[in-house]
Amino acid sequence: MVKLQVFFFPVMTHGHMIPILDMAKLFASRGVHSTIITTPLNAPAFAKGVQRTNDSGFQMSVKILEFPKVDGLPEGCENADQVTSPDMLPIFFTATKLLKDQLEQLLEEYRPNCLVADLFFPWATDSAAKFNIPRLVFHGSGFFASCAGEQVRLQRPFKNLTNGSDEFFVPNIPHKVKLCLSQIPPYVREEGETEFAKMLTEALESEWRSHGVIINSFYELEPEYADHYRNVLNGKAWHIGPLSLCNRSLEEKAQRGKQAAINADDCLKWLDSKSPNSVLYICFGSFTKFPNEQLHEIAMGLEASGQQFIWVLRKGTNDKESEEWMPEGFEERMIGKGLIIRGWAPQMLILDHEAIGGFVTHCGWNSTLEGIAAGVPMVTWPSFAEQFYNEKLITDILRIGVAVGAKEWVADSGGGNIKRDAVETAVRSIIIGEEAEERRNRCKGLKEMAKKAIEEGGSSYSGLNALIQELSLYPSSF
Ligand code: UDP
């Protein structure tokens, strides 16, 4: 039998590269030849995963496209998390459009059965169609955010509101979910005003025109919205997650994304010395960067809470950035109680440790689902993309989290308005008290469901079977 060949093309940002690598590994483990398309400086992030998959007797490869040279980006910037100001993001995404010819050459040469391309490459549908190759979308969000976001985009329930704090209900969805105007992204509020906004609107619309979407979620987590997506919005979707659970060994868990800034054994040893559910893990993903005043408030709130923590401080492109925001003597006072990781953390390894009792998260979908799969309650602190919807899923629908009170959508950086008292209250309430215990029990239930979903016969396992079966109906000349 001819092997199925699927090409995976993630946008160059870790929040998309990580789940797409997991997805490609998962496909490979079911006998598909998975190929990842990326650029030279992003290729190392895939190398170990690809090597390990091939060593296990499955087939995976990487194809490289040269990142286009454009003015306005720092030298060597091939990943969206390397841009040094939000104004550069539109330039970055415009540059990725110039990958079209190279992608088409690859498709023409290899003729895969299917191209799974990122939402941020709406043009890839036409590229694939030139060679009669179906294109599936990966957008990196869950069902709830997709449904709520689409209903808000289409119905514009905020259109008569003027103040940022004015509230509205998300229309036409199974739960009563309230948001305020300032939590809606400007590209949804102002529709197509800038080139970037147009690109994002085009990307969102291309989801509904595509052959279908692969969703990193599992049915039991958000069943009403998996149904709503298909039956009300008429989207075609396969749910095959949580993708992170395909990483089973300690090594795989420790090596996702970038090179970790802490040795995995040291990190585990530190956690081993703590009692169960007693440590907070604080990490805002690969992108969010807070202003100094906000970092100061976080430190003050953490110290006042008296809780133990691991805090991941994301470094910017400038390694010499000062830490003058840090309260004097903070790190010394926190020795034994708080561990600061400057740079990349082995997040999955940390979340899986029984000492972790709470996750302060920016509600990126990967982090959200990783927290759920690890059974960890969350303090929610969204700032951009679809994170405000993910927050509502966590706090209002699943009831496994406490909101810190972020109200403002701010592109690529967390806003600076959360005061130390709010941090203190939220982190204490996620670790201590009766409600914390109830939340923890709900989390345990979801963790079990997530595990079952990917096992043979589970909803995500069957979802992937159905998808592979459908793909095998598509021709390939590979
Ligand atoms: N991540 C990690 N270590 C870090 C920061 C992030 O392993 O120090 C991983 C995290 O586990 C997740 C991804 O990076 O898989 C971040 O994706 P998410 O959707 O949560 O947020 P984004 O970075 O896209 O804002």
Side-chain angles (χ1 to χ4, degrees):
M1 207 174 97
V2 185
K3 221 176 180 37
L4 272 183
Q5 160 95 344
V6 178
F7 275 24
F8 296 87
F9 187 23
V11 74
M12 300 80 179
T13 142
H14 288 279
H16 287 226
M17 287 160 53
I18 290 172
I20 286 201
L21 172 60
D22 286 344
M23 187 188 293
K25 281 163 49 178
L26 193 62
F27 272 73
S29 73
R30 300 282 188 92
V32 172
H33 182 164
S34 297
T35 299
I36 290 185
I37 305 171
T38 193
T39 66
L41 297 182
N42 288 300
F46 298 102
K48 284 198 177 114
V50 169
Q51 183 66 46
R52 226 178 272 120
T53 304
N54 287 322
D55 290 348
S56 321
F58 299 112
Q59 261 187 304
M60 228 173 135
S61 46
V62 176
K63 299 273 179 246
I64 304 286
L65 310 181
E66 287 305 320
F67 194 84
K69 293 230 171 313
V70 291
D71 290 337
L73 290 180
E75 186 65 27
C77 173
E78 294 190 4
N79 193 299
D81 78 1
Q82 291 171 319
V83 302
T84 45
S85 82
D87 311 341
M88 289 180 188
L89 268 185
I91 304 173
F92 182 87
F93 283 107
T94 306
T96 62
K97 281 193 198 168
L98 304 175
L99 293 166
K100 188 165 181 274
D101 288 349
Q102 294 182 69
L103 174 71
E104 290 180 7
Q105 278 165 23
L106 268 189
L107 295 177
E108 184 167 26
E109 185 177 350
Y110 291 95
R111 308 272 174 158
N113 298 78
C114 173
L115 171 69
V116 179
D118 208 284
L119 176 81
F120 287 99
F121 303 141
W123 43 270
T125 304
D126 292 338
S127 293
K130 275 193 189 164
F131 308 100
N132 270 334
I133 297 169
R135 181 258 170 126
L136 297 182
V137 170
F138 175 70
H139 56 38
S141 312
F143 282 112
F144 172 73
S146 301
C147 295
E150 188 61 3
Q151 291 290 7
V152 168
R153 193 174 75 86
L154 294 175
Q155 310 292 332
R156 304 178 61 74
F158 52 80
K159 63 176 180 284
N160 297 324
L161 306 180
T162 45
N163 298 317
S165 58
D166 290 347
E167 293 179 322
F168 65 91
F169 283 103
V170 178
N172 302 346
I173 59 166
H175 292 87
K176 278 211 152 323
V177 172
K178 213 184 327 174
L179 287 166
C180 64
L181 183 62
S182 58
Q183 293 173 321
I184 297 301
Y187 54 85
V188 172
R189 265 188 276 169
E190 293 153 13
E191 270 194 332
E193 262 194 5
T194 62
E195 274 306 304
F196 190 45
K198 265 193 240 159
M199 195 278 277
L200 288 168
T201 306
E202 201 185 318
L204 289 172
E205 282 169 355
S206 81
E207 172 178 346
W208 304 100
R209 287 190 289 108
S210 78
H211 194 82
V213 179
I214 303 186
I215 299 212
N216 183 14
S217 185
F218 57 104
Y219 185 79
E220 295 75 9
L221 181 68
E222 29 180 10
E224 298 93 340
Y225 296 94
D227 293 343
H228 186 93
Y229 189 91
R230 295 179 173 109
N231 304 335
V232 180
L233 295 172
N234 293 321
K236 186 160 183 185
W238 292 270
H239 51 263
I240 63 169
L243 291 167
S244 62
L245 292 182
C246 76
N247 299 290
R248 294 177 193 263
S249 70
L250 199 139
E251 209 188 13
E252 282 178 296
K253 290 180 191 179
Q255 293 175 348
R256 294 174 83 230
K258 300 191 209 183
Q259 174 75 38
I262 185 168
N263 174 288
D265 290 337
D266 293 344
C267 188
L268 289 178
K269 213 188 288 166
W270 192 89
L271 284 165
D272 285 344
S273 71
K274 308 293 176 195
S275 33
N277 303 322
S278 68
V279 178
L280 288 157
Y281 171 63
I282 305 152
C283 180
F284 300 99
S286 63
F287 227 78
T288 304
K289 216 161 168 269
F290 284 113
N292 283 350
E293 313 82 69
Q294 185 61 79
L295 293 171
H296 184 79
E297 291 299 304
I298 296 177
M300 297 301 284
L302 273 179
E303 185 166 2
S305 78
Q307 302 305 308
Q308 306 186 97
F309 61 85
I310 292 182
W311 184 5
V312 185
L313 287 177
R314 194 177 96 76
K315 280 193 177 178
T317 40
N318 174 11
D319 282 349
K320 293 191 195 71
E321 265 168 64
S322 95
E323 287 189 352
E324 63 198 17
W325 55 266
M326 200 177 273
E328 217 182 315
F330 175 76
E331 209 167 352
E332 293 72 35
R333 283 195 301 281
M334 292 300 116
I335 287 175
K337 193 163 203 183
L339 178 66
I340 294 181
I341 299 179
R342 292 177 171 81
W344 194 255
Q347 175 157 310
M348 205 180 158
L349 196 73
I350 295 173
L351 283 174
D352 271 357
H353 197 283
E354 61 169 10
I356 297 297
F359 178 13
V360 182
T361 174
H362 71 310
C363 306
W365 182 243
N366 296 297
S367 293
T368 301
L369 201 55
E370 287 161 19
I372 290 169
V376 179
M378 292 174 250
V379 170
T380 56
W381 193 323
S383 48
F384 66 101
E386 86 295 15
Q387 295 159 10
F388 285 95
Y389 294 116
N390 296 337
E391 171 176 69
K392 294 292 172 185
L393 176 71
I394 297 168
T395 56
D396 295 16
I397 299 177
L398 302 172
R399 298 188 300 128
I400 54 167
V402 173
V404 80
K407 294 282 180 231
E408 202 167 337
W409 197 102
V410 190
D412 106 330
S413 77
N417 300 325
I418 305 295
K419 298 292 174 229
R420 62 191 74 175
D421 294 356
V423 176
E424 180 189 347
T425 309
V427 300
R428 280 178 67 82
S429 67
I430 209 74
I431 300 274
I432 304 166
E434 211 173 291
E435 280 186 40
E437 207 46 48
E438 286 166 14
R439 252 182 246 118
R440 202 160 283 140
N441 285 335
R442 283 194 284 276
C443 284
K444 272 190 204 142
L446 290 172
K447 177 181 175 172
E448 281 312 305
M449 283 184 206
K451 239 196 321 195
K452 279 211 181 101
I454 61 148
E455 279 167 9
E456 203 168 338
S459 55
S460 291
Y461 188 94
S462 310
L464 183 56
N465 275 354
L467 175 54
I468 291 178
Q469 207 166 6
E470 181 153 345
L471 294 185
S472 63
L473 302 175
Y474 306 150
S476 156
S477 53
F478 181 64

